[in-house]
Amino acid sequence: MSSPLPFLAGVAQIGADPFDPMASAAKVAATIRRAAGDGVALLVFPEACIGGYPKGASFSTPVGMRLPEGREAFRRYHEAAIDLHGPELALVAEAAAETGMVVVLGVIERDGGTLYCTALIFDGERGLAGRHRKLMPTAAERLIWGFGDGSTMEAVPTRLGTVGAVICWENYMPALRMHMYAQGVTLYCAPTADDRDSWLSSMRHIALEGRCFVLTACQFIRRGAYPADYDCALGDAPDTVLMRGGSAIVGPLGQVLAGPDFDGETVLTARIDPAEILRGKYDFDATGHYARPDIFRLEVDTAAKPAVLRRDGGL
């Protein structure tokens, strides 16, 4: 089977409007249309691009205590999250359909009283084609986000290749990476809030390990994007950079094709040649000829785990 033809891919290093999801969705849609005008066929957005990443917030929760201020902070944050069938994603789906673009987008998803850090995959006219809820929120994120289950870890076949989404420090979970490789992911998308210098090293390792293209996007956002009364441990000076970007695109042999960029909002692009994936797998295939299933085996439970399971008690 022949590889898809080369195409242009991008990572959108933009800042969300943390408490205005419609404004964030409009910015995402506008970015999609501008990138499409430049010939971009696949575009990856950062973690929590709609719904906001609460950088520096503590939600007033010391160990063993929940203060009233923290409860109100969560209420406001919950209000800024989105529903999968809401008007915000309709804007994004419209832009993806209009341009035919494959889009990977980080959002804060509202499901009842619980929030999930989620990556969505849109595929042109197909609309929403995939959803991945973050399996393991990191550190204080566990106060505000629920845990995804194995039912949202499926990669999505597209005309450009097989797209998978792994969010931020989930990329440090070897078993999750192995599951992605086993699905034949060729376009490994990593929306993140990690803007450290060390992040690029991890992305290069994953590209080499999976022999896939890795596209990682992080927000560039300043304190001034948040409300004046937002409780932020990093201070209240409007020009303070809360997330500095570092978005990048990496090839299957670990070569950096674009980025990292720490200078501001931007869309980084690189030419993707899918044929490079098989060239890379010539000497390494993590779930193929370089695996040892006689010694190591990974079992993955992809069943949904609802808290309440209803059964029909009728005859």
Side-chain angles (χ1 to χ4, degrees), residues 152-199:
T152 69
M153 299 191 304
E154 297 307 301
V156 176
T158 75
R159 62 184 175 83
L160 303 176
T162 301
V163 177
V166 182
I167 306 169
C168 205
W169 277 25
E170 286 188 317
N171 286 281
Y172 294 141
M173 299 173 73
L176 178 54
R177 298 200 309 268
M178 195 70 164
H179 177 57
M180 287 294 155
Y181 305 152
Q183 295 181 79
V185 166
T186 57
L187 299 164
Y188 185 112
C189 302
T192 189
D194 192 329
D195 61 358
R196 300 172 302 161
D197 291 340
S198 57
W199 184 250

Side-chain angles (χ1 to χ4, degrees), residues 233-280:
L234 298 173
D236 294 324
D239 287 340
T240 300
V241 175
L242 299 191
M243 284 188 281
R244 64 185 185 125
S247 305
I249 302 174
V250 184
L253 294 180
Q255 68 275 38
V256 179
L257 304 178
D261 187 291
F262 298 101
D263 294 331
E265 291 192 314
T266 187
V267 174
L268 302 172
T269 62
R271 179 179 180 272
I272 302 295
D273 182 359
E276 290 297 324
I277 294 165
L278 283 178
R279 294 186 184 114

Side-chain angles (χ1 to χ4, degrees), residues 42-63:
L42 166 70
L43 190 58
V44 180
F45 287 87
E47 179 179 15
C49 195
I50 301 179
Y53 188 87
K55 186 69 178 281
S58 67
F59 290 83
S60 299
T61 304
V63 173

Side-chain angles (χ1 to χ4, degrees), residues 276-289:
E276 290 297 324
I277 294 165
L278 283 178
R279 294 186 184 114
K281 289 194 175 182
Y282 163 63
D283 56 357
F284 187 87
D285 184 356
T287 57
H289 63 76

Side-chain angles (χ1 to χ4, degrees), residues 29 32 88-99 122 124-125 127-128:
I32 291 170
E88 299 88 357
L89 293 188
L91 287 181
V92 177
E94 180 183 17
E98 178 184 311
T99 61
F122 295 86
E125 293 184 358
L128 182 58

